[in-house]
Amino acid sequence: MISLQNVSKYYPAGFGKTYVLRNITLDINEGEFVSIMGPSGSGKSTLLHILGMLEEPSEGEYLFFDQPVQKLSEKRRTELHRNYIGFVFQAYHLIDELTVYENIETPLLYKGMSSSERKSRVAELLDRFNMVAKKDLFPSQLSGGQQQLVGIARAVASQPKVIFADEPTGNLHSDHAKEIMDLFKKLNKEDGVTIVQVTHSEVNAEYGNRILRLKDGWLESFQVPTLERE
Amino acid sequence: MFRNYVVIAFRNLWKHKLFSFINVIGLASGIMVCLLALIDIKGAFDYNNFHPNSNRTYRVLTDVTGNDNQKIAFASTPLPLADVLKREYGFVEKTARIIRDYTEFTVDQKKLGDYYCAVDPAFFTVLGYKLATGQPATAPNTAVVTPQTAEKFFGLANPIGKVIHTKEFGSITVTGVFQTLPIRSHLHFGLALSMPTLSTANRKQQQIDWKQYTIGYTYVLLKEGASVDQFEKILPTIAARATKAIRFRSEKGYTFRAQSMTTLSPSREELQMGTWEPSWGKLATEMSVGLVTLLLAVFNYVNLTLARSLSRAREVGIRKVSGAVRWQLMGQFMAESVVLSVFALGVAYVFLMLIEPMPFVQQWLIGGVQLDTTLWAVFVGFSIVTGLLAGFVPARVLSGFRPAQVLRSQTGLKVFKGITLRKSLIVAQFAIALIAMIALLSMARQQNYMATADYGFRSDRILNIPLNNVPYQRLANELNRIPGVEHVSATSELFGSHGGAYQNVRRQKSGGDSTAVFITAIDQNFIANMDLRLLAGQNLPEMVADTTGEGSPGRFVLINEEAVKAFRMGNPREVVGQSLWLNDTTEVQIAGIVKDFRFTTFNWTIKPLILNYQPKRFRFVNVRIAERTTETTLVGIQRVWKSLNPREPFAGEWYSDFLYKRHSHEDDVNFMGLLTALAFSIACLGLLGMVTYTTETRIKEVGIRKVMGAEVRQIIWLLSWDFVKLLLIAGAIALPLGYLAGMAFLINFAYHVSIGFETLGGCIGLLLGLGGLTIGFRTYRAALSNPADSLRSE
Ligand SMILES: Nc1ncnc2c1ncn2[C@@H]1O[C@H](COP(=O)(O)OP(=O)(O)OP(=O)(O)O)[C@@H](O)[C@H]1O
Ligand SMILES: [Mg+2]
C-alpha cells in the first residue's frame, strides 16, 4: 500500500543542505499498525508528513497504492486526502469555532456528502465514541482526552484507509493515553484501518505490530513485517 | 456547504467582537457615502422619468461655432425654430418653447421676486408638470403657479383668479396651480406664464430672431412611430437655411441637434444656458469620494484579517488535510467578508438616516429620491461586491498556508504574511485622511477668512435694511431721528458679495477702449458711513432728493484707484474733473478718488469701480449704530420700519452677519468635515485593531522582557515605535500632497490664506495625537500586564 524507495528530505542551509531524512526505503501493507520512534528532531514528523502527502520528498520515490505520488496532480492528491487518509495530531488541532459535531462533520463536507448522509455518519461516530452528550460543545469546553477523541473521530469520519497520528497521546495523562491507544487498536483490528503513529512511549509503541526507529534521519532497525491475523 | 460557511462566518464575527466592530463601523461609513452617491445617481435618472412620452420627446440643442472655430453647445435655441418644425414637418406632433427668467411680481403691493417660465400651450402636455387645479395658461396674461409660489403670493387664499402685476407684462391672472414640482426636475420655476404674455416689442422681436440662440428652449414631441433619424437629419438643414441670411458678429454660425429626454440627465456634456440636470462629472466625483472612503475601510478589513492570520492558519491547515481545496477555503473566507459587508449595509442605512437631515445632504445629494426596490437591490448587490472584493486578498493569502507548516508545531509557527502590505495600507489610510484634513482645513480657514476679514469698509455696527420699495429719503429721515443712530446712507449693492452691476465705460464719447467697470449707486453719506477714504477730490455733492426718493442721477461720480489704473489716467490729482462716458449719451465727471477696498468676494482682485448717485437703484439703507447700542435703538428702527411698511416684516441684518453668512458655507464644511472625520476614524480604528493584534502576539515577549527588568516606559516604546514610524511616514507623504490639494482650492481666490505652519502643524499634530493615543492605549495595557499570566499560559 505504501512504498518508499530511497526517499530523502533536505532543507537548504547556507550554501549546502541539511538532511532530515536519508535514504528511507520502507513498505507498509494494508492493515498494519506501525509505530515510528526516535529522538526529538530525528525526522519523525517529517516522515509522517511525507507519508501523508503534506510534504514532498526531496529525493526518491513514493508509491501510494502503486501510484507514484510525485506525479499526482493537486486535485488527485486532495481526493486522496478526502477518501484515503486521516490525520491525528498531538495538539488535537480542532477548529475552535466549531462544535464537536461540526468538527467531525468537516471532512464529510469536503467529501461532498449529502446532508442526511452526513447526519447519520456523524451520529454513528458520536455514538461509537460516547460523545453524544457533548456534540454541541466547543473544543475549549472539553478535556484534552475528549478533544483527542474528537480528533480521532474526525480522522475516521471519511472512512480512510490509513490514519497518520503524530504523537496522538503526547499531551495526555497515561489513562487517557491508554484509552486512545485502545481505540486505535480497535480501529486497526475491527475496521482494518492502517495506522502509522509517531510516539515517544515504548508502551504505546507496543500497540503496533512493528516499530520503526529513526535516528538522525536514518531508519535504524528494520523489522520484517508480520501481519497479525486473528 | 454554503449554509455552513455562513454559520461559521457568524460565529467568527461574534467571537472576535473588536474585529467585527471595527470592520462593521468602517465598512458602514464607507458604504454610507457610496449610498449617498448611488441615491444621487438614481435621482439623476428621475429627472427624465416623470415626463409622459419621454421616449419620443426631444430638446433641440444649438452647436455654435465661434470665430476661433471653438464649438460650444447651447441647451437653448432661437425661438422661431419651433414654429418651423411644427409647420413644415409632419412627423412633429407638438413643440413647446420655454423662456426662463426672473422678475419681480407685485401682489397686493408686496414685491416678490420669482423665477418664471414663459411657455407654449404644449408645455402642459409635452412635459410632465401636472396641474392640481385650474386650467393651463394659454391666453395672454395668464399664469399657472406652483403651490409654493401660491402660498408665498397669496397665503392660504385660493390663487385661481387672483391678479399679479409685473412692470414688464402688466397684470397677469392666475388660471391654475401645479402639483408640487418634482425636486428632481431639470426646470425650476415658481410660475409658468403663457407665451403671449411676453408682448413687449423687444420680446416680440426675439420670437422671430434667428440670430439669438440664448433666449429660450425648444422641446419637440414626435408623432408615434416617427423616425428619429429623419428628425435628426432635418435639424442641420433648418439651421443651414436659417443662418444663410444672418451676419454674425462673434460666431461663424450654428447648427441644431436633438437631445432625447431619456438621456437629458445625467448630462454627458456641458451645455451653455444649461438647466438643472446633474452632470456625470458631479456624480462620478461623488462616487469616487464614496469609493475612497470605502477603500479605507476595506484596507482595515484586509489588514485586520491578515493580522489575525495566525489564528486562522491552523484552521486552514486542518481543513486542507480534511480534503478542502483552495477555492473552498477562499469561498469560506469570502463568505465571512460578505456577511460582514451586508451587515455593514444595515448599519450604513442607520447612519444614512442620521445624516439625512443635514442641509448639504438634502440639497445636493438625496433630496426627493424614493428608495425603491431597484435601488435596494443595487445597495445589496453593491455591498456583496464590496464584501467579495474586501475578502479576496486576505482569502488568497490565508488559503495559501501549507498544512505541513502550520500544523507541525503545537503552538503554531509564527507565520506572518503580508507585513509590507499591511504597513503600506496603514500608511495609505492615514495619508489619505491627512490630505483630506489639510484640504478641508484650508477651505474652512479660507471661508472663515472671507467671512471675518477686513474688506476695507466698515462692517461692524452697520445695520443693512432692504428698502423693499419704501422711499429711501423718508426712511432715512425717520431713522436719523432715533437716538443711537449715527449715520444713515443708501446703496444699490451690498459689498463683499458678487459686486453687483457692471458695464463697459469709455473715456471718449465714442470709439476708444472701453473698460468693464462695476457701478454701484450710493448717496453722499455712504463714504463717511462706511469709513471709506478719499485720496483726491471730493465726495459726491449733496443732492436733495425729493421725499419720494426719485431723484435724478447725479453728474458726478467717484472712482476707485483700480479704475484710475484701468483707464490709464495717471496721477490721481489730475484725474479729478475728467469725464467718463457711461454710454453714448451719459457723460459723468469724476469728483474724487476712493482708496481701493474689496467690494467683491475674494475670488477676484479689486476691480474698477464707479460710485454714483442714482436713487432709483437704491436697494439698501446702511444704518450706523452708536457703540453702546441700547435695545431701544433697534426697537425704534423696527417701529419706524413698521410705520412705513406695515406689510413687510423687518429684514434688517448686521453687515458683519451678512458677510459671515455669505462666506462661511457652514453646511458644506460640516458635510466635508463629516467625511474627513469618517476617514480619520476608519484609519484610527484600523490602527487600534492592528496594534491590538500585534501586541497580542508579542505578549509573551513583553512578559520575558519584564521579568528581565524592562520598565513599562521602555516596553511601551518597544511596542509602539513600529506604528509611530508608520504615522510619521504617512505624515511625510501627506504634508506635501495636502499642501497641493489645499492650494488647488485656494488658487481660486485672489486673496487667500496661506497654508502655513498652523494648518500643516495642526493637522499632523492631530494625526500624531490621535494615532498616538490609539497606539498608546493598547501598548500601555500590554506593558502593564502581569508577566506571570502571559508566561504561564504557553
Ligand atoms: N522548514 C524547515 N526548514 C529547515 N529545517 C526544518 C524544517 N522543518 C523541520 N526542520 C528540521 O527537521 C528536523 C526534523 O524535524 P521533525 O519535526 O521531523 O522532528 P521530530 O522527529 O518530529 O521531532 P519531535 O520529536 O521533537 O517532534 C529538525 O531538526 C527540524 O529542525
Ligand atoms: Mg514531531
Side-chain angles (χ1 to χ4, degrees):
Chain A
M1 169 182 170
I2 286 174
S3 167
L4 297 186
Q5 280 298 324
N6 294 327
V7 163
S8 298
K9 177 78 179 174
Y10 54 78
Y11 290 105
F15 292 108
K17 43 197 175 184
T18 44
Y19 274 87
V20 178
L21 292 175
R22 298 164 196 265
N23 254 335
I24 308 276
T25 299
L26 165 68
D27 281 293
I28 297 174
N29 295 319
E30 221 173 332
E32 274 202 83
F33 189 153
V34 178
S35 304
I36 302 174
M37 298 193 72
S40 192
S42 56
K44 303 183 296 293
S45 297
T46 309
L47 177 58
L48 205 69
H49 285 158
I50 288 178
L51 293 174
M53 298 176 212
L54 299 179
E55 282 180 73
E56 312 237 341
S58 314
E59 294 164 356
E61 201 187 11
Y62 174 13
L63 297 175
F64 187 80
F65 280 103
D66 298 329
Q67 304 175 62
V69 169
Q70 298 92 307
K71 296 202 182 102
L72 292 180
S73 67
E74 188 68 39
K75 202 176 151 203
R76 181 85 187 106
R77 219 172 282 185
T78 308
E79 221 141 82
L80 293 180
H81 278 144
R82 281 179 187 169
N83 300 314
Y84 289 82
I85 300 171
F87 284 94
V88 176
F89 304 93
Q90 177 181 0
Y92 326 130
H93 285 330
L94 302 179
I95 300 177
D96 297 334
E97 281 75 23
L98 301 185
T99 61
V100 166
Y101 183 98
E102 289 160 340
N103 263 293
I104 298 174
E105 192 190 21
T106 306
L108 304 180
L109 279 172
Y110 293 119
K111 220 174 159 177
M113 266 189 191
S114 76
S115 138
S116 57
E117 266 181 295
R118 289 199 310 258
K119 237 182 216 156
S120 66
R121 180 103 190 91
V122 178
E124 182 195 319
L125 285 165
L126 287 169
D127 191 38
R128 177 165 172 193
F129 288 67
N130 282 326
M131 308 275 309
V132 178
K134 309 242 164 7
K135 74 179 171 58
D136 290 324
L137 297 183
F138 287 91
S140 56
Q141 296 164 308
L142 300 178
S143 75
Q146 290 166 333
Q147 288 190 48
Q148 194 57 299
L149 275 181
V150 178
I152 295 170
R154 181 180 62 188
V156 275
S158 58
Q159 294 171 312
K161 294 271 186 278
V162 53
I163 290 178
F164 297 106
D166 195 347
E167 299 182 41
T169 57
N171 284 4
L172 300 176
H173 294 298
S174 49
D175 2 338
H176 276 149
K178 185 171 175 323
E179 201 179 313
I180 298 287
M181 290 316 299
D182 285 338
L183 186 59
F184 274 125
K185 189 80 198 164
K186 217 167 132 200
L187 282 170
N188 179 245
K189 279 262 168 63
E190 292 175 8
D191 301 34
V193 181
T194 310
I195 290 173
V196 181
Q197 69 156 343
V198 168
T199 182
H200 280 286
S201 139
E202 290 288 348
V203 180
N204 292 345
E206 288 305 327
Y207 279 83
N209 63 321
R210 165 152 79 116
I211 299 176
L212 303 173
R213 288 183 198 277
L214 273 178
K215 198 171 180 210
D216 295 334
W218 297 97
L219 201 52
E220 258 198 348
S221 67
F222 196 112
Q223 278 184 335
V224 181
T226 56
L227 207 56
E228 264 182 57
R229 290 251 184 253
E230 272 165 54
Chain B
M1 179 76 82
F2 183 73
R3 199 190 70 86
N4 192 270
Y5 285 174
V6 174
V7 168
I8 297 167
F10 268 109
R11 279 208 207 122
N12 259 315
L13 296 176
W14 182 248
K15 188 165 169 208
H16 302 279
K17 293 198 186 63
L18 175 71
F19 172 86
S20 307
F21 173 78
I22 291 173
N23 283 307
V24 166
I25 295 296
L27 287 173
S29 310
I31 290 177
M32 179 200 74
V33 184
C34 290
L35 291 191
L36 285 175
L38 286 173
I39 294 174
D40 200 21
I41 290 173
K42 149 77 164 56
F45 290 96
D46 286 351
Y47 280 72
N48 312 322
N49 288 344
F50 64 92
H51 301 295
N53 309 317
S54 56
N55 56 336
R56 50 192 177 99
T57 308
Y58 294 82
R59 176 166 78 173
V60 183
L61 307 182
T62 309
D63 284 321
V64 178
T65 311
N67 277 338
D68 50 0
N69 282 328
Q70 285 265 26
K71 277 221 162 96
I72 305 171
F74 282 77
S76 51
T77 53
L79 292 173
L81 172 67
D83 209 31
V84 171
L85 283 170
K86 194 156 161 225
R87 206 154 22 91
E88 299 180 11
Y89 298 94
F91 54 82
V92 173
E93 187 173 322
K94 287 174 183 170
T95 59
R97 293 167 305 165
I98 296 173
I99 298 173
R100 296 195 301 159
D101 212 337
Y102 178 91
T103 196
E104 221 161 53
F105 296 89
T106 313
V107 185
D108 286 344
Q109 325 209 347
K110 272 191 296 187
K111 287 210 166 182
L112 297 159
D114 210 337
Y115 291 92
Y116 68 84
C117 282
V119 300
D120 284 330
F123 167 86
F124 295 96
T125 49
V126 172
L127 299 179
Y129 304 102
K130 296 197 190 71
L131 261 60
T133 54
Q135 298 299 317
T138 49
N141 290 52
T142 55
V144 177
V145 296
T146 63
Q148 288 84 353
T149 296
E151 195 184 332
K152 189 166 82 173
F153 281 9
F154 314 111
L156 294 174
N158 180 8
I160 295 180
K162 285 264 182 349
V163 177
I164 47 186
H165 302 271
T166 65
K167 246 185 205 154
E168 196 184 347
F169 317 122
S171 301
I172 297 169
T173 311
V174 176
T175 62
V177 181
F178 285 110
Q179 293 174 10
T180 304
L181 298 192
I183 298 175
R184 300 267 166 174
S185 153
H186 76 290
L187 296 172
H188 290 183
F189 52 88
L191 306 91
L193 312 184
S194 67
M195 194 58 85
T197 309
L198 274 52
S199 55
T200 57
N202 181 24
R203 296 285 192 172
K204 279 192 167 145
Q205 167 60 29
Q206 283 174 355
Q207 305 215 355
I208 53 164
D209 190 354
W210 283 96
K211 210 162 148 186
Q212 298 192 56
Y213 45 79
T214 58
I215 308 293
Y217 304 82
T218 306
Y219 294 80
V220 180
L221 176 67
L222 299 186
K223 283 201 176 126
E224 223 152 331
S227 140
V228 179
D229 283 349
Q230 201 180 357
F231 176 52
E232 278 170 346
K233 226 171 279 160
I234 56 135
L235 286 174
T237 326
I238 301 177
R241 198 171 5 132
T243 49
K244 217 180 324 172
I246 303 176
R247 292 222 354 251
F248 289 106
R249 230 176 304 149
S250 54
E251 54 275 82
K252 284 191 170 154
Y254 59 69
T255 182
F256 299 131
R257 86 186 127 101
Q259 177 187 36
S260 167
M261 278 308 256
T262 53
T263 56
L264 183 127
S265 166
S267 62
R268 285 138 216 266
E269 58 183 323
E270 196 182 329
L271 296 172
Q272 302 298 310
M273 298 296 293
T275 40
W276 288 87
E277 65 275 11
S279 67
W280 273 114
K282 176 200 177 221
L283 299 176
T285 312
E286 286 166 16
M287 200 66 216
S288 349
V289 170
L291 290 179
V292 167
T293 320
L294 188 56
L295 196 64
L296 294 182
V298 168
F299 285 1
N300 273 355
Y301 184 80
V302 172
N303 259 352
L304 297 182
T305 311
L306 290 183
R308 277 176 56 209
S309 61
L310 207 56
S311 63
R312 299 312 292 270
R314 208 166 53 105
E315 183 187 337
V316 170
I318 297 163
R319 288 183 182 277
K320 277 196 170 169
V321 300
S322 300
V325 288
R326 192 164 184 181
W327 68 261
Q328 288 172 318
L329 291 174
M330 285 189 68
Q332 186 201 328
F333 287 119
M334 284 165 79
E336 236 161 82
S337 58
V338 167
V339 165
L340 193 77
S341 162
V342 170
F343 191 65
L345 172 65
V347 178
Y349 186 69
V350 175
F351 285 179
L352 189 65
M353 292 296 102
L354 290 179
I355 66 153
E356 201 190 329
M358 283 182 75
F360 185 91
V361 174
Q362 277 301 323
Q363 208 173 329
W364 290 103
L365 299 172
I366 65 173
V369 183
Q370 296 291 321
L371 298 188
D372 54 16
T373 35
T374 330
L375 200 52
W376 270 108
V378 170
F379 288 176
V380 173
F382 181 82
S383 64
I384 289 176
V385 170
T386 304
L388 290 176
L389 292 179
F392 184 75
V393 171
R396 258 201 86 76
V397 174
L398 290 181
S399 64
F401 282 123
R402 305 188 54 81
Q405 250 177 12
V406 292
L407 297 179
R408 175 178 284 272
S409 67
Q410 290 207 36
T411 52
L413 250 76
K414 294 258 178 231
V415 263
F416 286 113
K417 291 255 181 174
I419 300 258
T420 328
L421 173 71
R422 271 147 60 188
K423 287 184 174 170
S424 329
L425 293 188
I426 293 182
V427 168
Q429 281 180 321
F430 276 94
I432 292 172
L434 193 57
I435 291 170
M437 195 157 68
I438 294 172
L440 177 77
L441 194 61
S442 312
M443 228 159 92
R445 284 189 57 228
Q446 173 67 15
Q447 288 176 349
N448 185 56
Y449 169 62
M450 291 195 294
T452 56
D454 181 9
Y455 279 69
F457 59 84
R458 165 178 283 278
S459 63
D460 63 326
R461 288 195 285 116
I462 299 277
L463 189 69
N464 291 321
I465 307 173
L467 276 169
N468 270 339
N469 272 28
V470 171
Y472 123 82
Q473 197 60 55
R474 260 180 68 194
L475 180 60
N477 291 344
E478 296 279 337
L479 290 173
N480 269 322
R481 270 188 225 124
I482 300 171
V485 169
E486 289 182 341
H487 285 288
V488 178
S489 63
T491 180
S492 62
E493 197 57 51
L494 291 184
F495 292 150
S497 184
H498 50 76
Y502 66 96
Q503 66 178 73
N504 285 325
V505 173
R506 296 167 195 275
R507 288 188 64 187
Q508 280 88 34
K509 179 173 165 122
S510 51
D513 289 348
S514 70
T515 304
V517 182
F518 285 90
I519 302 191
T520 297
I522 59 166
D523 69 349
Q524 67 276 4
N525 299 321
F526 190 78
I527 298 292
N529 198 3
M530 303 307 285
D531 286 350
L532 298 179
R533 261 188 59 212
L534 286 177
L535 296 177
Q538 292 166 348
N539 193 0
L540 297 176
E542 188 108 3
M543 301 291 271
V544 186
D546 51 37
T547 45
T548 59
E550 304 272 316
S552 52
R555 231 174 59 76
F556 290 96
V557 299
L558 302 174
I559 64 174
N560 68 353
E561 293 171 89
E562 187 58 33
V564 175
K565 252 185 266 165
F567 287 117
R568 279 183 240 114
M569 289 173 146
N571 188 331
R573 255 163 243 293
E574 297 160 18
V575 173
V576 175
Q578 294 199 31
S579 48
L580 292 172
W581 290 84
L582 299 186
N583 54 44
D584 288 353
T585 53
T586 319
E587 184 187 12
V588 292
Q589 204 175 0
I590 297 169
I593 314 289
V594 190
K595 186 174 167 4
D596 274 345
F597 63 99
R598 296 171 183 181
F599 64 93
T600 63
T601 68
F602 289 2
N603 289 66
W604 301 299
T605 50
I606 294 171
K607 300 283 181 217
L609 173 71
I610 290 179
L611 299 168
N612 66 352
Y613 181 76
Q614 262 179 291
K616 267 192 189 152
R617 289 184 54 210
F618 289 164
R619 284 169 52 223
F620 298 93
V621 292
N622 327 100
V623 186
R624 177 146 154 192
I625 313 273
E627 193 123 22
R628 271 178 291 282
T629 333
T630 52
E631 202 48 37
T632 48
T633 313
L634 291 176
V635 171
I637 291 172
Q638 295 191 26
R639 192 180 309 125
V640 165
W641 176 261
K642 208 161 207 171
S643 70
L644 292 180
N645 191 347
R647 292 164 183 280
E648 295 281 329
F650 177 74
E653 185 182 29
W654 294 107
Y655 214 144
S656 44
D657 289 351
F658 164 77
L659 289 177
Y660 192 83
K661 274 193 208 146
R662 172 75 177 71
H663 296 292
S664 61
H665 301 292
E666 272 174 41
D667 294 346
D668 308 11
V669 171
N670 283 349
F671 183 73
M672 281 176 253
L674 178 78
L675 288 184
T676 312
L678 282 184
F680 217 71
S681 343
I682 292 172
C684 278
L685 280 175
L687 185 65
L688 178 72
M690 285 304 289
V691 176
T692 306
Y693 291 125
T694 316
T695 313
E696 260 170 25
T697 62
R698 293 179 74 176
I699 201 76
K700 191 171 161 197
E701 177 191 347
V702 169
I704 296 171
R705 281 179 193 272
K706 277 183 89 167
V707 170
M708 293 190 305
E711 285 174 38
V712 168
R713 190 169 44 83
Q714 289 167 320
I715 288 177
I716 292 180
W717 185 245
L718 172 82
L719 295 174
S720 306
W721 172 236
D722 273 347
F723 293 104
V724 174
K725 217 161 42 186
L726 297 183
L727 292 186
L728 292 176
I729 296 172
I733 294 172
L735 283 187
L737 291 179
Y739 181 84
L740 289 179
M743 276 325 270
F745 170 76
L746 293 180
I747 210 83
N748 295 312
F749 297 90
Y751 307 104
H752 58 74
V753 294
S754 58
I755 305 181
F757 179 75
E758 63 269 48
T759 306
L760 297 179
C763 289
I764 192 109
L766 190 66
L767 170 86
L768 291 178
L770 277 178
L773 271 181
T774 311
I775 298 169
F777 170 67
R778 280 293 161 168
T779 53
Y780 180 69
R781 273 185 30 182
L784 284 188
S785 65
N786 185 350
D789 295 340
S790 58
L791 293 182
R792 193 177 327 134
S793 71
E794 288 262 320

